[in-house]
Amino acid sequence: MASTLALAGCATQSGSPTTEPEQSELPTREDGIEQWGQKLNEHARKAGIDWEMFAGEGIELKFGMGLHKYSTTTKPLLPYFEDLTGISVEYEIFEENRYWREARNAMADQSGEYDGFMVGLWPAGGYHQGTDGDPWVEDLWPYIEDATLTDQDWLAMEDFMAQTIELMTFPDPDGGESFIGFPNGIEIYGCVGYDMETYDTLGLEEPTTFEELEQNAKAISESSEVDQEGMVSRTASATLSSANWGTMFRSHGAKWIDREVLLNEDDPDPEAVALINSDRGVESLERFGSILHNYGPSQAWTKDWYANNQTYNRGDVGMIYSTPQTSGIVDEERMANTKWIPPLRTEDGRERIGDTWIWATGISSYTDEQSQKAAWLFIQWANSRAANFLLSTHQWQGDEPRAGHARFNMYRNDSGSEWRYEADAYPEVAGAYPEVAGEGYEQTFIDGMKLVPTSPPPVPVDTPQNMNIMDEAATAMSRVVANGPDTARDELDAIASSVGEYAKRIPDRYINYVA
């Protein structure tokens, strides 16, 4: 038996939103699944490979999946993959609050229980480092370059932005590099979505700086004309809750760790390695904490991804500081009155830097070779052009929320003005998706991703210690939102030594590596 474990960075607690968009014009669930199962297989048959190479061999893949659009949409289509290949696939689904533990434990066990894993960007470096430098996940390039397994023209790697591939690539001990996760969705964090009616009622101008963002949040919260608080963001203490503050942190000119000290000193003081508590880091958390503590919803520090989205969905706040991909969990009526704008800047015009996440699927290093190849066939099928289009749109009634697409270049030309991939084949959605996702959705995504660096990236995702470092950051951030901005310096000072100790464990090859 073989299997794959997967989860996206934005899983829900209940598995579905409290409201659904109007879907009466979409096919029924049964009809939509049948139509798309056939479409995925029709698309797959255009590839110049033998999808039946393992037919009759009784391969059974068990995929452990995160509770996310990627798993909930592809799960009912799995019988069509078996029809195409003769390979059986089963999912085991975990909610996000269990995923990191379940995935890491399964990989560290090295039992081969799973054939692969959903490789989220933030923990990816740890999966690549594995145990004492022995990776838990496979390099995907040998599969991509094997002509018996892959038709590269059909696979269309050119659809992906270069930064997406770079961020999922890590340095090997022998001087090589490994591409460890095939992307299915990407996000840009720290964008602003605002209720246009609220802004019109209060006569607010669109913010361009963090200072103006706080002024608008204050105006909304203190107004007698609207019954709303100012802004919500993901602020619970879970590691990924630090993602939106990460954009504000880096755009204030702050850095998490001192890479030069790590490279040039044999045994540096941990507090000399940690830059998280620099004046600019503190300044960013004071601003973030002030907005959410003073002008956020009740118990703002408890908002996980789902609660964050639903707080905005209910109209409890006039703004959401998040990723535009949030729109998938917010109903379309609410999004129709929402405008998205890219990450903001400081008042003195420091460089804007956007934080990001990638959802990807990798192959386990501890399953057998035949199962690894079979898993690669599934990854191709479930992340093809047709599949990525499906994952980015509602295609049947009751379909789960949309996910941000990863094959960005297949949809847009260089000017970002038109659909590219078989738009005429899907007229019911070809022009509608950006509209139902909120005004400015696509342009915010385009502009935001231009702000994401790769060397180094916005958070230490190029290192095996990213999750540990950002877990410390998330805890401090959540406490500041709870207790007020005046506590920002004390909270960041309190974690500096721990952050420095984690950073000292990073092998030099990760610090030296430039994709």
Side-chain angles (χ1 to χ4, degrees), residues 384-422:
S384 67
R385 281 180 156 182
N388 204 235
F389 186 93
L390 167 64
L391 290 169
S392 300
T393 53
H394 285 297
Q395 289 293 347
W396 57 75
Q397 294 177 33
D399 188 17
E400 291 294 322
R402 292 171 300 275
H405 45 261
R407 290 179 172 273
F408 188 71
N409 292 339
M410 86 178 190
Y411 296 111
R412 300 285 165 178
N413 63 15
D414 291 339
S415 66
S417 63
E418 63 179 282
W419 292 83
R420 293 177 58 193
Y421 175 60
E422 298 183 12

Side-chain angles (χ1 to χ4, degrees), residues 13 15 41 217 228:
Q13 295 300 312
N41 284 351
Q228 293 176 318

Side-chain angles (χ1 to χ4, degrees), residues 49 74 84 96 121 204 214 217 326 364 366 396 416 508 513-514:
I49 60 173
T74 56
L84 177 71
E96 183 178 345
L121 173 62
L204 299 177
E214 182 166 12
T326 291
S364 170
Y366 299 105
W396 57 75
D508 284 351
Y513 179 65
V514 177

Side-chain angles (χ1 to χ4, degrees), residues 208-215 251-252 283 287 344-350:
T208 60
T209 67
F210 298 117
E211 180 181 34
E212 292 170 356
L213 179 68
E214 182 166 12
Q215 291 170 351
S251 294
H252 273 75
E283 179 187 3
R287 178 75 78 189
L344 306 176
R345 64 178 73 251
T346 58
E347 301 85 82
D348 56 0
R350 300 170 203 171

Side-chain angles (χ1 to χ4, degrees), residues 338-399:
T338 296
K339 183 174 181 183
W340 287 99
I341 56 176
L344 306 176
R345 64 178 73 251
T346 58
E347 301 85 82
D348 56 0
R350 300 170 203 171
E351 180 185 8
R352 291 185 298 162
I353 295 180
D355 196 4
T356 192
W357 169 270
I358 298 171
W359 308 321
T361 313
I363 298 174
S364 170
S365 296
Y366 299 105
T367 189
D368 61 89
E369 181 179 352
Q370 186 183 54
S371 296
Q372 289 174 337
K373 291 179 178 179
W376 171 245
L377 290 183
F378 179 76
I379 288 172
Q380 288 184 85
W381 181 85
N383 296 285
S384 67
R385 281 180 156 182
N388 204 235
F389 186 93
L390 167 64
L391 290 169
S392 300
T393 53
H394 285 297
Q395 289 293 347
W396 57 75
Q397 294 177 33
D399 188 17

Side-chain angles (χ1 to χ4, degrees), residues 253-402:
K255 296 180 180 180
W256 308 102
I257 57 177
D258 192 325
R259 294 167 183 260
E260 293 298 322
V261 169
L262 288 172
L263 286 176
N264 296 317
E265 296 187 24
D266 291 334
D267 187 24
D269 182 339
E271 295 198 18
V273 175
L275 299 178
I276 192 170
N277 60 335
S278 68
D279 288 347
R280 290 191 172 192
V282 171
E283 179 187 3
S284 75
L285 188 51
E286 287 175 340
R287 178 75 78 189
F288 187 84
S290 177
I291 297 172
L292 275 301
H293 178 81
N294 294 320
Y295 313 118
S298 174
Q299 296 187 314
W301 65 94
T302 67
K303 303 305 181 187
D304 60 13
W305 181 81
Y306 185 75
N308 166 57
N309 301 337
Q310 286 305 314
T311 298
Y312 184 74
N313 189 50
R314 290 191 301 267
D316 294 350
V317 293
M319 297 186 294
I320 183 170
Y321 189 68
S322 188
T323 169
Q325 277 66 35
T326 291
S327 62
I329 200 74
V330 176
D331 70 61
E332 292 180 5
E333 182 178 357
R334 182 79 167 120
M335 291 312 303
N337 197 50
T338 296
K339 183 174 181 183
W340 287 99
I341 56 176
L344 306 176
R345 64 178 73 251
T346 58
E347 301 85 82
D348 56 0
R350 300 170 203 171
E351 180 185 8
R352 291 185 298 162
I353 295 180
D355 196 4
T356 192
W357 169 270
I358 298 171
W359 308 321
T361 313
I363 298 174
S364 170
S365 296
Y366 299 105
T367 189
D368 61 89
E369 181 179 352
Q370 186 183 54
S371 296
Q372 289 174 337
K373 291 179 178 179
W376 171 245
L377 290 183
F378 179 76
I379 288 172
Q380 288 184 85
W381 181 85
N383 296 285
S384 67
R385 281 180 156 182
N388 204 235
F389 186 93
L390 167 64
L391 290 169
S392 300
T393 53
H394 285 297
Q395 289 293 347
W396 57 75
Q397 294 177 33
D399 188 17
E400 291 294 322
R402 292 171 300 275

Side-chain angles (χ1 to χ4, degrees), residues 131-148:
T131 305
D132 297 327
D134 187 13
W136 291 332
V137 285
E138 290 284 288
D139 178 15
L140 297 182
W141 284 118
Y143 300 92
I144 294 171
E145 294 169 354
D146 185 338
T148 65

